[in-house]
């Protein structure tokens, strides 16, 4: 019998397993639902800034949901904050957000020292939480989440201006993306050194619908691969989540170096597997169904994903904090019953 | 209209489609110098250019960066033409627009706003992360006809339903038409919460607002 850690790492390394793992990466796709927080007493927003509380909440989510991983942090503002943008930690129900990007345009960006940023703010919090969790749960994979380069750039520079400058001033945009990628690589390596087993990258701004195929190739795919290659050099497997319908960037998916690609609910993962057998697919149970459907519907759709041969079963997007534990268990249970 | 005037209007429209701010400014000056009516320049030059850009967007030739640059060129031309507009008494239909509470992604909302403004509506922009009650109170206060609500996140979709509920509760449901849109939204979702229309993208939002206003026989917008 495989441990959850062995099963997920085998999948991420392209090996066959007894059944697909069922996971919820954390980060933008975390399962910190209100029901778990209220029962366990480990609550947000406090857990965003306290390593012990972050570890306790991540542990409670693992214990109660049936997901076969632990995921931290619970937001995608850690990098933005350490880079210098203004962030609000939100509330119990509502996730942290960027309230003001530090720079108005890419040419304004003045880099900070990477080593100083690593020791600063919530990067240290997340790394300390990873250390606690890796020791507490030796058989469970701990996934560390980082914000994708394009989304992180859009949290440092006004996103509307940034989108224009991808066309008007690509050289400055590349300079910003290199800076951000360096920080992301260093942050992810620190997590791995503290016991994180895999890195998951959520890059919601990097969609074909927003960027179009050309800018996606030049900036999103290129810098995702820069980060992934650097992490692979340190033997860290990487999951990438791509938002949206992917129609315009579908042909570029095999160019991503990720160990698994996670997609939104509207993507037909079975078809994706057929078209690109080399891709390890992950996803993609509708989070809308998970919030508002019935346990029977959730179980049925989950079984369909398993039957379709999807490699790793996971929610398709960020969970609503009002999702019930019952429906999450219906999802995880129907993968394990197999 | 003389052939040269048609050429000038075409040049203005092309400058918008081709995202060239300086060229739009030059074309707008040329139109004024030639004695062309500024309103015509806006309608058949700038707005025409944005409409063509919107088509290219729907055909997936253009994406968000291109639309934003087209709108920069459009606004640059508008700055030149606006002072030359004859005073008009026609009342513009008002649209309250915003991103629902819990979501701070507003690129899509900004694009919809640009397209609706170009189409001649008066936009009241509530910004992002807007509580449902604020949509209702602002629509009432500003005597708007349309409430346009967007979200990119599945986690905030219920806020849209809350707007409809508040309108019904305050017996205001008939006074406003509610248009919803954004990444996770679908026609089926719009129907399920009782919204009046769903727009799949910014160009569609203009079509839907036009249709909603003609149905309700409220004054159709006059360009700027």
């Amino acid at each position: 019998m495989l441990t959850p850690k062995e099963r997920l790492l085998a999948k991420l390394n392209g090996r066959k397993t007894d059944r697909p793992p069922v996971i919820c990466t954390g980060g933008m796709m975390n399962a910190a639902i209100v029901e778990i927080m209220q029962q366990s007493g480990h609550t947000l927003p406090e857990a965003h800034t306290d390593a012990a509380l972050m570890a306790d909440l991540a542990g409670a989510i693992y214990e109660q949901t049936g997901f076969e991983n632990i995921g931290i942090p619970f937001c995608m503002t850690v990098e933005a904050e350490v880079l210098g943008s203004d962030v609000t930690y939100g509330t119990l129900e509502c996730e942290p957000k960027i309230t003001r990007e530090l720079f108005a345009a890419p040419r304004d960006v003045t880099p900070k020292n990477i080593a100083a940023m690593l020791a600063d703010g919530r990067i240290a919090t997340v790394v300390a939480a990873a250390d606690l969790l890796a020791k507490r749960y030796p058989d469970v994979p701990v996934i560390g989440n980082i914000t994708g380069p394009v989304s992180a750039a859009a949290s440092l520079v006004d996103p509307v201006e940034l989108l224009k400058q991808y066309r008007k001033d690509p050289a400055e945009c590349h300079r910003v993306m290199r800076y951000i990628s360096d920080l992301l690589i260093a942050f992810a390596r620190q997590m791995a050194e503290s016991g994180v087993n895999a890195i998951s990258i959520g890059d919601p701004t990097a969609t074909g619908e927003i960027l179009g195929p050309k800018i996606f190739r030049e900036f999103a795919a290129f810098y995702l691969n820069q980060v992934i290659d650097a992490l692979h050099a340190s033997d860290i497997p990487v999951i990438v989540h791509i938002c949206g319908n992917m129609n315009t960037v579908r042909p570029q998916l095999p160019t991503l170096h990720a160990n698994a690609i996670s997609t939104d609910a509207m993507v037909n993962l079975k078809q994706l597997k057929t078209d690109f057998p080399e891709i390890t697919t992950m996803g993609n149970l509708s989070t809308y169904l998970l919030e508002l459907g019935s346990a029977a519907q959730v179980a049925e759709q989950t079984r369909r994903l398993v039957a379709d041969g999807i490699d790793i079963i996971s929610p398709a997007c960020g969970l609503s904090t009002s999702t019930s534990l019952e429906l999450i268990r219906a999802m995880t249970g129907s993968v394990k019953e197999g | 209209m003389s052939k040269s005037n048609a050429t000038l209007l075409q040049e203005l429209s092309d400058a918008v489609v081709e995202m060239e701010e300086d060229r739009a400014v030059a074309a707008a000056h040329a139109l004024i110098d030639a004695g062309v009516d500024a309103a015509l320049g806006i309608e058949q030059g700038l707005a025409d250019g944005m409409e063509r850009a919107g088509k290219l967007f729907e055909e997936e030739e253009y994406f968000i960066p291109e639309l934003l640059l087209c709108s920069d060129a459009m606004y640059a031309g508008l700055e030149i033409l606006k002072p030359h507009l004859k005073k008009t008494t026609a009342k513009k239909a008002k649209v309250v627009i915003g991103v629902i509470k819990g979501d701070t992604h507003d690129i899509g909302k900004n694009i919809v706003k640009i397209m609706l403004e170009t189409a001649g509506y008066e936009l009241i922009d509530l910004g992002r992360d807007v509580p449902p009650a604020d949509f209702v109170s602002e629509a009432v206060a500003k005597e708007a006809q349309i409430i346009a609500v967007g979200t990119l996140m599945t986690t905030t979709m219920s806020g849209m339903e809350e707007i409809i509920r508040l309108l019904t509760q305050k017996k205001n449901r008939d006074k406003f038409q509610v248009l919803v849109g954004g990444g996770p939204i679908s026609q089926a979702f719009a129907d399920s919460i009782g919204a009046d229309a769903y727009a799949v993208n910014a160009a569609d939002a203009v079509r839907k607002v036009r249709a909603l206003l003609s149905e309700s026989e409220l004054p159709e917008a006059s360009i700027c």
Side-chain angles (χ1 to χ4, degrees):
Chain A
M1 180 78 177
L2 294 170
T3 66
K5 189 193 277 185
E6 288 165 344
R7 188 178 290 110
L8 179 64
L9 291 179
K11 271 290 179 199
L12 291 177
N13 287 307
R15 294 198 299 272
K16 288 205 181 323
T17 52
D18 50 349
R19 61 166 174 82
V22 54
I23 69 168
C24 186
T25 55
M28 64 176 262
M29 312 215 313
N30 71 73
I33 57 171
V34 170
E35 194 177 338
I36 294 176
M37 287 190 276
Q38 282 176 344
Q39 276 180 19
S40 69
H42 310 312
T43 52
L44 297 173
E46 296 81 10
H48 290 303
T49 52
D50 179 321
L53 201 50
M54 184 180 284
D56 287 346
L57 177 56
I61 293 167
Y62 165 72
E63 310 263 355
Q64 296 194 38
T65 56
F67 284 124
E68 299 172 297
N69 74 295
I70 290 166
I72 50 168
F74 304 106
C75 70
M76 42 190 321
T77 56
V78 172
E79 300 90 344
E81 189 178 36
V82 78
L83 283 163
S85 289
D86 292 339
V87 165
T88 156
Y89 294 138
T91 62
L92 183 89
E93 296 93 358
C94 211
E95 67 191 332
K97 290 186 277 266
I98 317 292
T99 50
R100 193 188 60 87
E101 298 83 16
L102 182 59
F103 298 110
R107 66 180 166 277
D108 300 334
V109 173
T110 47
K112 290 165 73 174
N113 179 284
I114 301 276
M117 282 193 284
L118 291 181
D120 191 23
R122 288 188 294 143
I123 286 196
T125 311
V126 176
V127 170
D131 187 56
L132 290 170
L133 287 162
K135 287 178 180 136
R136 201 178 297 167
Y137 299 97
D139 293 334
V140 185
V142 180
I143 298 179
N145 290 268
I146 58 175
T147 306
V150 166
S151 303
S155 64
L156 177 64
V157 179
D158 172 50
V160 167
E161 192 57 28
L162 182 66
L163 284 170
K164 293 182 205 170
Q165 299 304 326
Y166 282 133
R167 276 195 71 114
K168 286 172 85 171
D169 197 355
E172 279 295 297
C173 293
H174 278 292
R175 186 180 64 86
V176 171
M177 298 296 282
R178 278 192 295 271
Y179 165 50
I180 283 171
S181 299
D182 286 346
L183 172 68
L184 295 176
I185 292 163
F187 176 27
R189 282 192 175 141
Q190 281 223 333
M191 285 196 274
E193 281 162 20
S194 298
V196 155
N197 307 107
I199 292 292
S200 177
I201 307 180
D203 207 352
T205 311
T207 71
E209 289 102 308
I210 294 175
L211 302 178
K214 190 178 160 292
I215 296 175
F216 186 89
R217 183 180 300 111
E218 185 179 349
F219 290 97
F222 183 81
Y223 287 99
L224 278 171
N225 280 340
Q226 293 286 107
V227 173
I228 296 165
D229 290 349
L231 298 182
H232 280 173
S234 305
D235 287 324
I236 307 164
V238 183
I239 296 165
V240 169
H241 177 78
I242 306 279
C243 292
N245 66 30
M246 302 204 305
N247 290 342
T248 66
V249 296
R250 214 164 187 277
Q252 295 184 45
L253 290 182
T255 70
L256 293 175
H257 302 166
N259 299 71
I261 293 180
S262 157
T263 76
D264 241 333
M266 66 278 254
V267 173
N268 181 337
L269 273 185
K270 188 183 181 185
Q271 188 62 45
L272 193 73
K273 265 193 87 67
T274 310
D275 296 347
F276 306 114
E278 68 272 34
I279 293 178
T280 297
T281 49
M282 172 168 149
N284 69 347
L285 188 79
S286 160
T287 47
Y288 194 54
L289 184 73
L290 207 45
E291 182 187 5
L292 301 168
S294 67
Q297 287 170 317
V298 166
E300 185 193 332
Q301 288 302 315
T302 306
R303 285 188 198 111
R304 184 184 56 79
L305 291 169
V306 175
D308 284 349
I310 308 314
D311 299 294
I312 300 169
I313 310 298
S314 156
C317 193
L319 268 66
S320 166
T321 51
S322 56
T323 305
S324 72
L325 202 46
E326 184 202 352
L327 292 206
I328 294 178
R329 283 186 184 140
M331 174 186 181
T332 55
S334 24
V335 178
K336 294 175 186 175
E337 75 198 0
Chain B
M1 194 195 313
S2 73
K3 183 162 182 275
S4 70
N5 282 359
T7 312
L8 289 170
L9 289 168
Q10 184 66 42
E11 169 66 9
L12 194 51
S13 172
D14 289 351
V16 171
V17 175
E18 284 159 37
M19 304 170 263
E20 295 180 43
E21 242 176 274
D22 294 346
R23 198 174 142 200
V25 168
H29 280 303
L31 265 178
I32 298 300
D33 293 346
V36 179
D37 181 14
L40 197 68
I42 292 169
E43 193 176 332
Q44 295 185 17
L46 297 174
D48 180 70
M50 278 312 285
E51 198 162 322
R52 288 164 62 202
K55 277 206 189 88
L56 288 169
F57 179 70
E58 289 194 301
E59 289 161 5
E60 299 190 332
E61 287 293 323
Y62 275 13
F63 296 89
I64 304 290
E66 289 79 11
L67 271 191
L68 289 169
L69 291 171
C70 289
S71 77
D72 278 358
M74 188 272 293
Y75 283 121
L78 196 59
E79 282 304 303
I80 307 300
L81 296 181
K82 250 187 178 168
H84 299 279
L85 279 176
K86 296 179 188 84
K87 290 268 176 276
T88 158
T89 51
K91 235 174 106 184
K92 289 192 273 183
K94 287 183 193 166
V95 181
V96 167
I97 191 167
V99 178
I100 197 76
K101 183 156 185 61
D103 195 347
T104 56
H105 303 89
D106 61 354
I107 293 167
K109 182 268 292 170
N110 289 337
I111 298 276
V112 172
K113 179 187 166 193
I114 288 163
M115 295 298 281
L116 284 171
E117 268 177 353
T118 315
Y121 300 102
E122 183 178 341
L123 273 286
I124 298 139
D125 186 359
L126 305 184
R128 54 193 193 178
D129 198 16
V130 182
D134 289 10
F135 281 93
V136 177
S137 60
E138 279 300 303
V140 172
K142 300 279 163 49
E143 298 182 336
Q145 284 82 46
I146 304 269
I147 299 175
V149 196
T151 186
L152 194 69
M153 301 168 71
T154 46
T155 52
T156 59
M157 289 160 70
S158 56
M160 293 182 167
E161 191 168 10
E162 175 69 6
I163 291 176
I164 309 263
R165 201 187 61 75
L166 287 172
L167 286 173
T168 311
Q169 184 191 335
K170 299 203 159 102
K171 308 213 184 321
N172 268 330
R173 185 67 191 90
D174 300 340
K175 290 190 191 132
F176 305 102
Q177 308 263 18
V178 180
L179 174 70
V180 296
I185 309 301
S186 63
Q187 183 67 53
F189 174 78
D191 293 342
S192 77
I193 65 168
D196 297 291
Y198 158 70
V200 67
N201 58 34
D204 192 35
V206 175
R207 280 194 294 272
K208 293 292 161 66
V209 166
R210 279 193 187 128
L212 287 174
L213 289 174
S214 66
E215 270 170 30
S216 64
E217 291 175 6
L218 279 161
E220 176 62 81
S222 70
I223 282 292
C224 294

